[in-house]
Amino acid sequence: WSSDVCSSDLKKLGGRLVTVIIRGDVSSVTQAIEAATANGIKDPVAHVVIPSPHEEILKLIENSANRVC
């Protein structure tokens, strides 16, 4: 990963699904995701960069993770 990003949270959503929240500027996060996709053991099911996510999006992720635990 670029030195301009940090993995700030990891949420297990059930089965083998995991949400990873990466923080940093948009271009650095995009590069980190592309590098992880290209060099990972498995292809991700999905990935998306959300610049400045609303706090409700982060709550939705938290609630999804809490339902599985």
Side-chain angles (χ1 to χ4, degrees):
W1 288 6
S2 168
S3 61
D4 297 335
V5 299
C6 67
S7 175
S8 65
D9 211 351
L10 178 80
K11 301 287 183 192
K12 294 182 182 179
L13 300 179
R16 295 183 293 172
L17 295 178
V18 176
T19 294
V20 178
I21 298 174
I22 302 170
R23 297 187 187 273
D25 65 84
V26 174
S27 63
S28 295
V29 170
T30 301
Q31 288 177 350
I33 290 173
E34 289 171 355
T37 300
N39 299 313
I41 296 171
K42 292 196 171 227
D43 290 333
V45 173
H47 57 83
V48 65
V49 175
I50 305 173
S52 304
H54 191 276
E55 64 184 51
E56 292 296 320
I57 296 215
L58 300 174
K59 285 182 185 177
L60 283 170
I61 294 169
E62 183 68 35
N63 289 339
S64 293
N66 287 337
R67 277 186 278 186
V68 174
C69 298

